[in-house]
Amino acid sequence: MEKIFKEAIEKEALLATRRHFLSSLGTGIGALAMGSFLGSCGTQSAVKTSSLKIPPHFGKAKSVIFLHMAGAPSQLELFDYKPVLAKFDGKECPKELIEGKKFAFIRGIPNLLGPKANFAQYGQAGHWISDHMPHLSTQADKITFLKGMYTDQFNHAPAQLLMHTGSARLGRPSMGSWVSYGLGSENENLPSFMVLASGGKNPDAGKSAWGSGFLPSIYQGVQCRSAGEPVLFIQNPAGVNTDIRKASIDAINAVNQETFQEFGDPETVARMGQYEMAYKMQSSVPEVMDISKEPAYIHELYGTKPGEEAFANNCLLARKMVEQGVRFVQLFDWGWDSHGTSKSGSVDWGLHQKCLETDRAISGLLIDLEQRGLLEETLIVWGGEFGRTPMQENREGKTQDYFGRDHHTDAFTMWLAGGGIKPGFSFGETDELGYATVNGKTSIYDLQATILHCLGIEHESFTFPFQGRNFRLTDVFGKVIQPILA
Amino acid sequence: MILLDAGPSDWVLFFGHFHPVLVHLPIGMLLIAVIMYFFASKKSVPYVFFWAFISAVFSCLMGWALSQSGEYDENTLFFHQWLGVAVAVLSGALAYMTAYWSQDAAMARLIKPFLFVSVALITLTGHFGGNLTHGSDYLTAYLPQPIRGWVGMEPRAEQGGANEPAIRKIANIEAALIYQDLVQPVLKQKCWSCHNAEKQKGKLRMDSPAFLMTGGEDGAIIKAGFPEESEIIKRLLLPDSDEHHMPPKGKPGFSEEEISILHWWLKEGADFKKKVKDASADAKIKTILKRYSSGESSGPYLSPVFKMSISEADESDVKDLQKLGLLVNPSAKDQPFLEVNAVNAYGLGDKELEALVNIQDQIVSLKLGKTKISDASMKQLATMPLLIFLALDHTKVSDKGLTSLEGLRYLESLNLYGTQVSDAGLASLAKIKSLKHLYVWQSKVTDAGLATFKKARPGVQVDNGFKGKWPLEIDTIRVEEKMK
């Protein structure tokens, strides 16, 4: 008899490998630290995923809609008006500008390329906006431009990662995850961080651009599709009704609860939260994702066609999500990489097509949020992962068939509107050729710090302990852009 | 001579910078020795005095090294230096006395007076040392009233942190002196603490026009008429991470506006007597001046409500409300102000809303859109004195109910989109002086009613839905042509 007991204990001990031991040890300590940070109840806090947490400061924005034009739109054809560049159109780029610089495709000495758009000033603010964005120009006074943005990554994927996770390498949590982790969701039936992609492709950085990194996986972005089933794999399988589904989830979670008590891995708790959320989403998501019930004047405003996979539909969905209390909505639209290697990739025709797809929808979004009283609480961010060169691309040393520009890190334009941001303002300036920022230099970290600030989060103290050090979105950089705050 | 001109070597200053750290050792040891002499065994006292002596000698050496930087007020330094030396000598003497004189009754009588003198000396030395690093007004800067009055000090100027604007409001901006009224307050707030009578970092004083023009160890800091060549501007514009950036890391920096004004003053000849009206101002300067004359703050706006100190709501009351499905959360961490949101409780009616009575003094934001509440609840909302943000969209609220809201003194945003509110309701809302945003889309408000309201309250942003031409015609063919 004694032998049997002994054997049982030994078997049990064998089950707990060194890995289990280390993981329970590590997470135990981590959870303690997290508990003290959140001022709540240790590991259990991960269970209450949708419970609202508290911003450390008075934040003016309650939610964020980040409109990412994946591929990087040309600032020189949209918002950064450079008449001097037009004068030097076709001339060789001054050597001192490109000496020692590396470009993704430009080789040797390229020619300068004047702006391929017509500009005019709009609104009380006198913003320069090109004729590619006619609808947006009517909304000029809502917008604050950041014309002095710069980055240090000239390839799409790392630059997108830097923009959204604060690191060009994989593995860090995305901004939306940080925000969900810090503030939670208002709506208990919807995830706090949702992602919508259009343009036929996910961004180059892939799902890592909305991953949760080392934060509990419940905080990762939930990607929804605007055509077909909004979220894959949450509908009941054939022959399973809601009651059976609920019963099986309860059973799985009961097992998970036991596993959690045995090993103490917070990921188990996160998984339980995800099952619960998926169950709730079965009814809440189809409702929020259904734009067919929107009145005709709303479709007219955004230029939406129900059932289509389109950026315009995603804009309308973003409004619906924010209205329902979703904290962070991330939109990606692919196809802004205007190298000039094809007609659709040209900075005149191709870029204009992308603007036709987005200009009305973005402007409609601003108008719609405003008339619903949501704009003062919603922060809109528009931009790409870097800018485009004032020089025409000369891939393989040859002039391209179409007008195009290479990736550029030294200067690009982004804009913000809504919650906590001064309306009708412009910050930062580039030189006469639009090559580099001359004042109001704004790093990606500065932008991230500012977005967090608008939500009431102090980026320097908002950390998560991982592998022995406290990590934050802005790493060790970033300064809130004070002049643009309202 | 060449050596002298080169100034102290890095090594001297390196050790010098340890003086403020080391100096606390002899202070502590001396005091503990005195305490031990009176209240504990006298046996170990000589040892403590001996180590106090050793540490005091080292402190003196390093203090001397630090003084070589020449950044300190000579008078204060003289007293601090020689008092310090006296303390070192005295602690050595006391080590000797307590060791060898204690047994001798006649000599032992001398020890006590020396102990008192040593405490007095170390206090004085420490005080002068403090004055050297922090400035002579550091200790008493926050002396409260009425003691301030008793000792004959001026009342402390109402001042926030160093990040608060140095200039608040200038009534007659045209007659103001550029230096005295616009430049000096900023220098005083952000430069003087290190460049003053007692402390002259980089051998620079900035607390009077004459010193400002003299410059520091690297020469003049001002080149009148040429701001770009003036060291003072260059230092301000260096990147924060640069070691020559001023003010140094950790100290509040200049705002863009403050730099612009300083730049302007330098460009206008760095004239200490020039008035605003005698200088030519460009558009940027004019905007800044306009702001100074109106007294509005340049920083982000925050409702005055958040500066109030109010009591916290009862936690059990908050929990009861959460049971109704309401989100009840503080506006910010550790703040008593509460935000209530009914996004998960659209079934909420007038009766359920009564439960808010327990936290009515704390609510600053109330979102009741799409709920079943009606005019009956408006009286209750009127009893929430600190309400800033109120959303009543898609509810049954009407003009009748809105009359109750007139008394809300801090209400800034009111959402009435999708309600039965009409022009009569707008008339009562016009009485809310704090109102900034009003949303009346898809209500019964008419264009005429809106015009009347806008006339009465031009500062309020009213949104009645988008009425412009939409979508715009876009000339796509023209772009195709440009392609060629």
Side-chain angles (χ1 to χ4, degrees), chain B residues 431-484:
Chain B
K431 290 175 194 151
I432 307 176
K433 291 278 167 272
S434 53
L435 205 59
K436 289 183 171 175
H437 297 273
L438 181 61
Y439 305 94
V440 290
W441 185 40
Q442 296 184 344
S443 69
K444 293 195 170 153
V445 169
T446 65
D447 287 346
L450 211 59
T452 321
F453 179 84
K454 278 183 177 163
K455 215 170 176 187
R457 297 296 310 280
V460 182
Q461 273 185 29
V462 194
D463 197 289
N464 191 24
F466 183 71
K467 300 280 192 298
K469 181 177 153 48
W470 204 269
L472 305 171
E473 280 159 31
I474 304 165
D475 182 6
T476 50
I477 303 142
R478 189 176 48 74
V479 178
E480 284 268 24
E481 279 171 357
K482 268 196 340 197
M483 265 291 305
K484 289 176 276 176

Side-chain angles (χ1 to χ4, degrees), chain B residues 63 66 120 175 188 212 291 298 333 337 343 368 374 390-391 480:
Chain B
L66 185 59
K188 184 176 176 183
L212 213 48
R291 221 181 41 64
S298 65
K333 206 177 172 189
F337 310 101
V343 70
L368 299 171
S374 68
L390 180 60
E480 284 268 24

Side-chain angles (χ1 to χ4, degrees), chain B residues 82-93:
Chain B
W82 292 110
L83 280 167
V85 171
V87 168
V89 172
L90 193 59
S91 51

Side-chain angles (χ1 to χ4, degrees), chain B residues 410-423:
Chain B
Y410 297 104
L411 190 68
E412 288 176 13
S413 175
L414 179 59
N415 194 339
L416 296 167
Y417 141 57
T419 60
Q420 300 300 306
V421 170
S422 73
D423 297 348

Side-chain angles (χ1 to χ4, degrees), chain A residues 52 55 60 297 372 376, chain B residues 301 329 333 413 417 439 442:
Chain A
L52 193 72
K60 288 187 179 146
Y297 57 82
R372 283 162 204 268
E376 61 175 299
Chain B
Y301 172 82
N329 283 287
K333 206 177 172 189
S413 175
Y417 141 57
Y439 305 94
Q442 296 184 344

Side-chain angles (χ1 to χ4, degrees), chain B residues 220-234:
Chain B
I221 58 163
I222 284 171
K223 193 169 175 196
F226 300 93
E228 283 81 9
E229 292 166 39
S230 297
E231 191 68 17
I232 189 169
I233 286 281
K234 285 192 200 165

Side-chain angles (χ1 to χ4, degrees), chain A residues 183-197:
Chain A
L183 302 176
S185 180
E186 288 186 340
N187 192 317
E188 55 192 22
N189 296 321
L190 285 172
S192 51
F193 177 19
M194 296 179 89
V195 182
L196 299 157

